[in-house]
Amino acid sequence: MNSASREPHGRWNTFNRQGSRVTGNSVKLSLLLPAGIIGTNCSEKLEMSDLSALTAALLEFRDARDWRQFHTLRNLITSLNLEAAELLELTQWKNDVEIEALASDPQGAEALRDECADILLYLLLIADTAGIDLVEAARAKLEKNAVKYPVEKAYGSRAKYTELA
Ligand SMILES: [Mg+2]
């Protein structure tokens, strides 16, 4: 069984079936899908090792339902934002302490997981439709952000890059 845990500062660690930490340069998502959900006869759970495999499973799920016809880029972008609103809804009328407690409450944690997953799934569909390599795009954007927010100027500051001294 794979598992993931969260370190302080929001970094995810993923562990393989032997309990070893998954390392490497590429983004690794170890996700389990129930057998049969993507049309496999395999009796074991399927292990998704990267975004490509997850996208393939998602496209198979979509195409088995003939939903491609609804997945225009505009509809997918709208849907991602609706899912982001569902994530935001989990914070409605709560104070900061109550929001922080969501992650340690079983029901709250499940709701957080579900909405984050919905957002990721739509993001994968957008990337597939628009021909975006998400890992490469994220790396490139991180590099742009590093230029916009040099450590010596941005350290400990919440100022926007246009306002950094
Ligand atoms: Mg949702």
Side-chain angles (χ1 to χ4, degrees):
M1 178 67 82
N2 284 27
S3 64
S5 66
R6 194 167 194 176
E7 284 185 342
H9 317 300
R11 190 166 151 244
W12 287 92
N13 284 326
T14 304
F15 299 87
N16 64 19
R17 285 165 199 258
Q18 288 74 45
S20 304
R21 191 186 215 167
V22 174
T23 57
N25 294 327
S26 61
V27 170
K28 294 285 183 187
L29 295 176
S30 291
L31 303 171
L32 300 174
L33 290 178
I37 199 167
I38 61 165
T40 174
N41 293 323
C42 183
S43 59
E44 284 193 346
K45 288 181 177 177
L46 181 65
E47 181 177 337
M48 295 293 151
S49 61
D50 54 31
L51 289 179
S52 298
L54 183 57
T55 299
L58 177 59
L59 296 182
E60 190 170 342
F61 175 93
R62 179 197 67 187
D63 294 341
R65 290 157 182 78
D66 193 23
W67 288 351
R68 175 67 184 86
Q69 58 184 313
F70 309 120
H71 285 185
T72 60
L73 196 51
R74 183 177 64 79
N75 282 344
L76 293 172
I77 292 170
T78 298
S79 298
L80 182 144
N81 279 274
L82 291 172
E83 295 298 344
E86 289 182 11
L87 180 63
L88 181 62
E89 190 178 18
L90 299 178
T91 70
Q92 190 177 30
W93 313 125
K94 294 183 177 73
N95 62 35
D96 283 354
V97 173
E98 291 169 323
I99 292 170
E100 294 296 326
L102 278 174
S104 52
D105 167 70
Q107 263 190 316
E110 181 179 8
L112 280 173
R113 277 197 307 274
D114 283 351
E115 300 313 336
C116 287
D118 284 338
I119 292 167
L120 175 60
L121 293 172
Y122 275 118
L123 184 61
L124 292 174
L125 287 169
I126 290 169
D128 180 74
T129 301
I132 296 168
D133 180 330
L134 271 180
V135 173
E136 189 51 45
R139 282 205 182 113
K141 187 60 172 67
L142 199 52
E143 286 178 21
K144 287 182 189 174
N145 289 349
V147 172
K148 280 159 90 173
Y149 293 96
V151 173
E152 61 274 17
K153 288 186 178 176
Y155 188 81
S157 169
R158 61 187 173 189
K160 192 175 177 182
Y161 70 97
T162 50
E163 294 161 4
L164 287 174

